Amino acid sequence: MAAKSIISRPVYGTLSPQPGKHHLFIADAEGALAISDMAAKAPAGFFDGAEIDFIPGPDNKHVATLKALKPAQFHLAPSFASLLPRLKQTLGNAHMGLRLYLAGTEGLIGQAMQVALEAGIDHTSIQTEHRGSLARRMQCVHCKGITENVTTQPAACSHCGLLLLVRDHYSRRLAAFQGVCINAEDRSEIPPIEEAFP
């Protein structure tokens, strides 16, 4: 958990069933467990008007668990990028009262939150729960490139190759943590790379 003094860090809660007829769930990997835990508290028929969009990852884990909830619609996507057009269309056609539930990694939650807010979804209609990997989505402040699933400190930028210190500062606008060159003064100084965000 991040220090409470880092005010840019998002704060996540626990998913809970909200009143309404339309429920949209976006999750990746272990986020499926947050949905199934919430389902145990949901009233009968809660998923009759629900859509679940799920990015299972390479092992297709938890697909059966989510299908067993019998949502009105269930969609599998291989990545957030492939889900994005569907998500934009769904949010663009959404009716007043849509409840949005985001569960899983910080990268998924941040990007989905960004799309939802751009579509005009009221932030009070969105719930989030972090589950799974602590891997970070990082933006290089030098080349502006985004590197996904960063688990080490420092980390190499996948665009320009600079060795970056992954800061705890989180940009909600970019849905990414900021990375700054760790050896700008002397590129031959390479600090040890350690697993920091498993």
Side-chain angles (χ1 to χ4, degrees):
M1 280 289 153
K4 291 183 182 184
S5 63
I6 302 170
I7 60 173
S8 70
R9 287 297 304 266
V11 176
Y12 305 110
T14 302
L15 299 186
S16 64
Q18 298 299 303
K21 293 191 296 185
H22 305 288
H23 305 277
L24 174 59
F25 294 85
I26 310 295
D28 66 358
E30 303 304 312
L33 299 177
I35 296 171
S36 65
D37 287 351
M38 190 211 77
K41 301 178 254 175
F46 182 81
F47 285 90
D48 292 349
E51 175 180 336
I52 298 176
D53 294 338
F54 183 53
I55 305 165
D59 57 4
N60 278 334
K61 211 167 147 187
H62 308 303
V63 172
T65 301
L66 293 179
K67 282 185 174 181
L69 299 175
K70 298 187 172 131
Q73 294 183 54
F74 183 80
H75 177 73
L76 284 177
S79 66
F80 186 80
S82 67
L83 176 63
L84 191 55
R86 178 184 180 86
L87 179 57
K88 285 183 176 181
Q89 181 178 17
T90 301
L91 294 174
N93 295 331
H95 296 286
M96 184 69 105
L98 171 76
R99 302 296 182 195
L100 180 60
Y101 305 83
L102 309 175
T105 61
E106 230 166 8
L108 170 103
I109 293 170
Q111 291 176 88
M113 176 76 78
Q114 186 179 44
V115 173
L117 295 174
E118 286 171 4
I121 303 298
D122 183 44
H123 70 92
T124 60
S125 297
I126 304 171
Q127 288 192 29
T128 59
E129 183 172 340
H130 181 267
R131 290 276 184 115
S133 172
L134 298 174
R136 294 183 171 187
R137 184 170 194 259
M138 174 187 71
Q139 186 225 18
C140 174
V141 301
H142 308 284
C143 76
K144 307 304 181 207
I146 299 285
T147 303
E148 301 286 350
N149 299 316
V150 172
T151 60
T152 62
Q153 184 71 284
C157 174
S158 62
H159 299 271
C160 67
L162 286 177
L163 194 59
L164 305 174
L165 170 70
V166 185
R167 297 190 57 225
D168 280 332
H169 174 73
Y170 183 82
S171 168
R172 293 175 199 276
R173 182 178 65 84
L174 300 170
F177 289 89
Q178 303 299 287
V180 296
C181 186
I182 197 165
N183 56 359
E185 299 295 322
D186 181 359
R187 297 281 167 83
S188 66
E189 285 184 25
I190 300 175
I193 295 175
E194 298 175 357
E195 194 73 18
F197 319 110

